[in-house]
Amino acid sequence: MRALTRIVAVLAAEPEASRVVPPTGFTARLTIFSSAAMAFLAVFAMALSLASGRLADRWGDALARTATVRISAPEGQMEAQADAVLAVLRTTPGVATARLIPDDEQRALLEPWFGPGLPVETLPLPRLVELTETPDGMDAEALRLRLAGEAPGAVLDDHTRWRRPLVRAAGRLRMLGWLSIGLIGATMAAMITLSANAALAANARVIKVLRLVGARDVFIARAFVRRFTRRALEGAAIGTLAGMVAVALLPRADTAGGFLTGLGFQGADWLWPLVLPPLAAGVAFWATRWAALRVLRGIT
Amino acid sequence: MIELENVSHSYGGGELLSGISLRLAPGSFYFLTGPSGAGKTTFLKLCYAELLPSAGHVRLFNADLRGMDRDTVARTRRRIGVVHQDCQFLDHLPLRENLSLPLLAAGRDAQAEAANLQELLNWVGLRAQAEALPPQLSGGERQRAALARAVIMDPDVILADEPTGNVDWEMSLRILQLLVELNRMGKTILIATHDLNLIRAAKAQVAARVLRIKDRHLHLAGADL
Ligand SMILES: Nc1ncnc2c1ncn2[C@@H]1O[C@H](COP(=O)(O)OP(=O)(O)OP(=O)(O)O)[C@@H](O)[C@H]1O
Ligand SMILES: [Mg+2]
C-alpha cells in the first residue's frame, strides 16, 4: 500500500520537474509498445491459468469424491457379500471411508430415472458401497483382486480415475500460466531497466548539471522514474484492454464441451486482468528507480 | 564557510595541488590566478565538492567533505553559488527555466519566485533573452546568465571560474561590476582568472586578495598585482 502511494505521488508530481530531462519520442514509444505487448500476453497467460485452474478444481473434486463398489449377488448372499466388501475396504490402504448406501438413498439416486414410488425392495438391484479415498489414493488393481477373492459379486467402479492424469496436467498448466506471468513481469523489468539505462546514459550531461545545482539523487531519479512508470502504465493499460477484448471475442466452446470449455474469464475473473496495469507500473517504478540510483552513485 | 586544510589533489598521475590551506574570510573578495593548467578549476571543484581531495581536509560550513553523504553534498551545494567555466546549462530549456533549476532542485516553488527571477534577469540585463535557449546566447550573455543562476539561491559565497573568459573588455568590466555589487551585499567572492587587468580593475573598487597557484602550491600574491 505504501509502495502504491509512492508510485501515485511520483506520477502526480508537477510536470515542470520532469521537463529537466529532454523528451525522447522514440524510446518512449518503444517502451509503451513493449509494455502493451507484455500486458497482452499476460492477459492470455492469466486466462489460461484461471481456466486450467477451474478444470483442475472441478475434476479434482469429482476425483476426491468417490468410487463405488457394486455388489450383485443372489438374494441370500447379498448381506454376507456386503459385509465382506466393507471388511475388505476397512483394511485397504488408501480408503478413507466406506459405507453401504441405504435403501432410501439408493431410491433417491434412481428416482430421476425411474420416477418416484420405485419398489426398490422388490427389484433385483445391486447394493452400492460408496468409498472415499485418502489424498494418496488407493491401489485399485490390488483392491479388485482382493474383492474378487472375498466377494465374487463385487465390482469396483472407479469411473473418475481416467481423469487423474488430466487433472495433473490441468494443475501443471495452471502453474505454467502463472510462471509465464512471472516471466513476462521479469522480462518487462529487464526491458525497462535496459531502456532506463539507455536514457540515463543519453542524459549524462543533464544529470551532471542537476547534481551541480544541488539536486538530490531522488529528485533526479524521479524525473526518469516518472516517465517510465507512466509509459509502462499507459502501455499496459492498452495491452490489457486489447487482451481482454480478444479473450471476450474467443468463440464459445461450451457447446462442444471438452477441454477448451470456458477458456477465458468467468464472472469475477474479469477483474483479474485489471491488476496488470498497476503491476506493470510497479515493475517500471522499481526497475527505473534501481537503475537510476545505481547510475547516480557513480556521479559526484 | 569554505576551509581547506593541507589539501592535495592528483588526477591519478602526479600531484597537481599540494599542501594547500585556506580559509575564506566571510565577506572578502578573492582572486585565484595562475597559468593555464595550474589547477584553478580543480581548486574550485574541491571547494564545491565536485572532487574529493586526495589528501587533507575540505570543510564546507564546518562539515568535513569526507564522510558527507550524497544528500548533504547536494544541500551544501545550494549554499555555494558557482559560475562554471563552461556554464553548464541544459540546452533544451529556455534561460528562465535554467536559472530556476536550483530552486526546482531544492524543492522550492519556482512560480512563487517568479518576481525574484525577473529582478535577477533585469540585474544581469537578460530580460529580453528569458525565453531563449542557451545555445542561442552570446558568450557574454551566457556568462551573465551563469552568474544569475549562481546567486538565485542567495548563497553566502560565490565561486566564479573564468567568468570573463571569451568576452571583450567592456563586458568583462560589466561582469566584474556585478560581482563587486554582490560583494558589497556581504557575499564572499572568489574569482579564478588569469586576466591580470581584471584584477587591477577590481582592486580599484574593492580590497581584493590575490591567491596564486604556482608549482602546485597556493601563495598569497604580493602588492605588485
Ligand atoms: N578530470 C580530469 N582528469 C585528469 N586530468 C585532469 C582532469 N581535469 C583536469 N585535469 C588536468 O589537471 C590540470 C589542471 O586543470 P585545471 O582545469 O584545474 O586547470 P586551470 O588552472 O583551471 O586551467 P585553465 O586556466 O586553462 O582553466 C590540467 O593539466 C588538466 O589537464
Ligand atoms: Mg580552469
Side-chain angles (χ1 to χ4, degrees), chain A residues 260-286:
Chain A
L260 278 176
T261 299
L263 177 59
F265 302 108
Q266 286 178 2
D269 282 354
W270 281 103
L271 295 176
W272 270 105
L274 300 184
V275 307
L276 289 174
L279 205 64
V283 165
F285 179 90
W286 291 110

Side-chain angles (χ1 to χ4, degrees), chain B residues 11 16 34-43 45 85 161-162 194:
Chain B
Y11 283 108
L16 180 65
S36 186
K40 299 184 292 294
T41 299
T42 304
F43 178 92
K45 283 180 176 172
Q85 189 163 12
D161 197 354
E162 304 283 2
H194 49 237

Side-chain angles (χ1 to χ4, degrees), chain A residues 14 16-17 19-23 205-206 208-217 219 296-300, chain B residues 48-50 70-71 73-75 77-78 84 88-94 97 100-102 104-105 110-111 149:
Chain A
E14 72 291 348
E16 196 181 348
R19 269 171 53 77
V20 295
V21 182
R205 216 188 104 78
V206 172
K208 184 178 173 219
V209 171
L210 289 173
R211 273 302 291 180
L212 285 179
V213 299
R216 291 160 64 219
D217 287 351
F219 174 89
L296 282 164
R297 266 200 301 278
I299 295 162
T300 49
Chain B
Y48 61 82
E50 189 176 339
R70 294 178 58 79
D71 284 356
V73 168
R75 286 195 199 90
R77 281 183 182 154
R78 296 174 196 163
H84 300 274
Q88 304 283 8
F89 290 119
L90 296 184
D91 290 347
H92 67 287
L93 292 182
E97 287 184 55
S100 49
L101 270 187
L104 201 62
Q111 227 64 49
R149 188 179 72 183

